Amino acid sequence: MGCRRLVQWLARFRQALPLAVALAVLPCAQASEPESANAAQQQPPEGAVHFTQAELLSIPGIGYSAPTRRIEDAALPADGWRTIALPHTAGRELVPTSSGGKQTVTDWYRLDLAAMQPPSARPLVLYLPRWKTLGHIAVYGDGALLYQSQGSPVHNGYNHPLLLPLNSAANAPVPRTVLIRVNRLRSSGSGFSTVWVGELASLNWRYQVRELLQVQLPFMGSAAFLAVGAFALAVWLGKRREPLYMLFFAISTLAFMRMLHYYVSGDYLPMSDEWFEWMTVASMLWLIIAIHLFLERLHQQPSRWLTRTAVTLAVACSVVTLPHATKAVASLYLVTPLLNLMVLPVAVLIFTVNLRKALRAKLPEGRLVAGWAVFTVAVTSYDSLLQNNLVSPESVYTSPYAIISLFFIFSYIMFQRYTGAFAEVARLNKGLAQRLQAREAELEQSYQRLRAVENERMLSAERKRLMQDMHDGLGSSLISAIRSVEQGAMSDAEISGVLKGCMDDLKLAIDSMESVDADLLLLLATLRFRLAPRIESAGLSLRWEVQPVPALPWLDPGSALHILRIMQECVANVLRHTKATTISFRTAMAGEGVRVVIEDNGTGFDVEEALRRSGRGLRNQQRRAEAIGGTASWQSGKGGTRFTLWLPIQRGIDVDKAAALVKA
């Protein structure tokens, strides 16, 4: 008794749940149902008549037979009719026998519409909320065939409600008797709901609500699930390290395949009933496996023994239920309810283990999945009762709503993971930016310290260089002049000449500190500005034949001073010793360097003897040229002297090669 009451309670509760919207808008006048078919037919024809009783005649047979175009009551057996309450179910065999898949039963349901006379001012329709059978259904009005189901006997659109016109036009006669023919396999049983007859306006909303709950919502939910799964697949293809997206796609695909039989009839299937039923059963098994793997990836606590066991059972069941393997026992659609009952405890075990680990790991999504698992077990148990004709056939399958809720829950989980990944990237970027900013501040401080040290070093080096140069050049000249004056060995003109030379040295030292931006021509122009007055005052003609040459990247103030001193010493030698009347400056390219030539038309001298005898000035020129990576050379004769300074464009040129270029 307790089990029967539990079944009845589940039936009432699950029947009311999906139809809550429809029941909320039912008119108060239709709240109570008639107690008999005759009482129902006494209602006014303007409303909808609800038939809760009918007459039933069951005729056994072998195999399916197509409905005839006409059938008369007289052609049916007169005895055997009995009055039944609607909705009505015929029990099924949980474990089908070999003959149960061949023996058929044809059930005739008869409705008396005599109370619907005289003809209605509007056309009338017959509304059948739900019927379930492994076979076909046909509807006759006064013996004429009004409707017959299409498709295969297995996938015949059983989940679609039926809205059928009884008289095609207003004021047309309404059939006095309606016969509904339902043929079925004896082992599969059948289900037949209550019947409504009335005007289209009063029954269309009932049909639309039922169609929405039984067909449209499951279809839209599974299609949306598959679309989001395709997006997850695209994400996984771009980021292979995230298997959750691939598992989400697998779950959405398997859920879509599992839901197909709720809204697809055999007319639209590109495969046989046996293969379609196998796909439905196999997709349910692998859907459970995919959900298990998904949950394992969430809580990061794998159960290898459970995974191996579940995969082994799924593979074995998928192989055993292949159409060619089950033909020896019974058709797969006859044993599907038994398989669903066998899978249920395995699914409960898998969900229990994963939920326990999710809650132990304090995973926020664990509570959502826990609630969904409890809901799924409840609705799956109820659907198993409905599939085995143990509850009212007027109820609605609730498993599609479990899939729809799974879609929302898993979409929420993936959305949280997706947005969480962006939040984590933003957090990491913020941390990196802060560390980078701190590092930049440290580098800036280090740079400032290094810059201060470098400036101090450069100032010290420049100070040392200037002091050394002034000591060797300007200091030496002044000391010589002072001694000559003290000894009275120099005339005023000679003293003036020495002091002018000292001033030239000082000016050249100052000029070397100016930036020339690696431009040799600018440096030579400075030299011309300083020495041209002295050359002209000595009576020499200056020829300036300087041509454009490449920049010297290494030309810094120290190197510039070396070049100026070399040129100054060369001009001084011309003025003191050669008695020349003309002095010329030229520049030209010479291999990988630049050549500066100073030539005069004086008396000339023996270069080797000059270098060996005193040669301090000439040797200083050579040392300065070598200090900046260049070479200095002289060619002198009766026609004059030519001094050549070769400077490399880039430092590191071979000295011997440079000397060869100078001679060339």
Side-chain angles (χ1 to χ4, degrees), residues 55-61 76-84 88-91 104-110 180-184 186 189-190:
E55 293 181 286
L56 174 63
L57 174 64
S58 298
I59 303 176
L76 298 174
D79 55 344
W81 289 95
R82 56 192 176 93
T83 301
I84 60 169
H88 174 261
T89 59
T104 59
V105 177
T106 301
D107 292 327
W108 293 89
Y109 295 89
R110 183 164 60 188
I180 302 177
R181 178 183 184 269
V182 180
N183 56 354
R184 58 183 172 86
R186 181 178 60 82
S190 66

Side-chain angles (χ1 to χ4, degrees), residues 54 63 65 94 100 106 115 154 168 200 206 295 427 435 496 527 566 576 585 598 627 646 652:
S65 60
L94 185 59
T106 301
V154 180
S168 58
L200 179 63
R206 295 178 182 271
L295 294 177
R427 187 186 66 80
R435 290 197 294 270
S496 175
L527 179 68
I566 293 172
R576 291 172 188 168
F585 286 77
I598 301 177
W646 183 87

Side-chain angles (χ1 to χ4, degrees), residues 1 93 115 135 155 173 182 225 258 312 413 423 458 574 584 610 654-655:
M1 293 295 292
E93 298 175 354
H155 303 98
V182 180
F225 200 174
R258 172 62 183 168
T312 301
I413 293 174
M458 290 178 61
V574 172
S584 64
D654 183 71
V655 177

Side-chain angles (χ1 to χ4, degrees), residues 222-282:
S222 61
F225 200 174
L226 185 61
V228 177
F231 172 75
L233 176 63
V235 174
W236 177 79
L237 291 175
K239 195 175 183 181
R240 300 294 181 89
R241 293 178 297 175
E242 293 292 342
L244 275 180
Y245 293 101
M246 183 60 188
L247 288 173
F248 185 86
F249 168 72
I251 291 171
S252 66
T253 304
L254 292 170
F256 182 81
M257 295 168 62
R258 172 62 183 168
M259 298 272 284
L260 277 175
H261 68 284
Y262 286 111
Y263 45 81
V264 175
S265 63
D267 286 341
Y268 307 103
L269 295 179
M271 62 182 70
S272 64
D273 289 337
E274 289 79 8
W275 281 105
F276 184 77
E277 191 70 18
W278 177 83
M279 181 189 72
T280 303
V281 173

Side-chain angles (χ1 to χ4, degrees), residues 438-449:
R439 186 59 178 166
E440 286 179 348
E442 294 176 0
L443 291 175
E444 179 65 22
Q445 293 177 358
S446 300
Y447 173 74
Q448 293 298 337
R449 289 194 296 268

Side-chain angles (χ1 to χ4, degrees), residues 429-443:
N429 287 339
K430 184 177 180 181
L432 289 174
Q434 292 175 350
R435 290 197 294 270
L436 180 61
Q437 186 176 5
R439 186 59 178 166
E440 286 179 348
E442 294 176 0
L443 291 175

Side-chain angles (χ1 to χ4, degrees), residues 58-248:
S58 298
I59 303 176
I62 300 295
Y64 293 110
S65 60
T68 59
R69 297 187 61 85
R70 288 194 60 85
I71 189 69
E72 302 293 342
D73 288 354
L76 298 174
D79 55 344
W81 289 95
R82 56 192 176 93
T83 301
I84 60 169
L86 299 179
H88 174 261
T89 59
R92 67 178 301 158
E93 298 175 354
L94 185 59
V95 181
T97 61
S98 58
S99 61
K102 300 178 181 179
Q103 296 179 359
T104 59
V105 177
T106 301
D107 292 327
W108 293 89
Y109 295 89
R110 183 164 60 188
L111 302 176
D112 186 5
L113 304 186
M116 303 296 293
Q117 305 297 328
S120 172
R122 295 183 181 179
L124 298 183
V125 295
L126 180 144
Y127 166 56
L128 182 63
R130 196 166 178 277
W131 54 277
K132 186 174 81 72
T133 181
L134 285 180
H136 288 96
I137 184 175
V139 180
Y140 293 88
D142 286 343
L145 180 64
L146 301 178
Y147 170 81
Q148 64 175 347
S149 61
Q150 303 296 323
S152 67
V154 180
H155 303 98
N156 48 24
Y158 66 93
N159 208 34
H160 292 260
L162 178 62
L163 189 66
L164 175 66
L166 293 178
N167 53 341
S168 58
N171 299 320
V174 178
R176 300 181 61 86
T177 303
V178 171
L179 289 174
I180 302 177
R181 178 183 184 269
V182 180
N183 56 354
R184 58 183 172 86
L185 289 176
R186 181 178 60 82
S187 61
S188 68
S190 66
F192 191 83
S193 69
T194 59
V195 182
W196 295 77
V197 177
E199 297 175 0
L200 179 63
S202 62
L203 294 178
N204 185 57
W205 70 270
R206 295 178 182 271
Y207 170 79
Q208 296 296 339
V209 169
R210 176 70 67 159
E211 177 75 11
L212 177 66
L213 295 175
Q214 292 183 175
V215 180
Q216 298 301 327
L217 280 181
F219 172 74
M220 290 186 292
S222 61
F225 200 174
L226 185 61
V228 177
F231 172 75
L233 176 63
V235 174
W236 177 79
L237 291 175
K239 195 175 183 181
R240 300 294 181 89
R241 293 178 297 175
E242 293 292 342
L244 275 180
Y245 293 101
M246 183 60 188
L247 288 173
F248 185 86

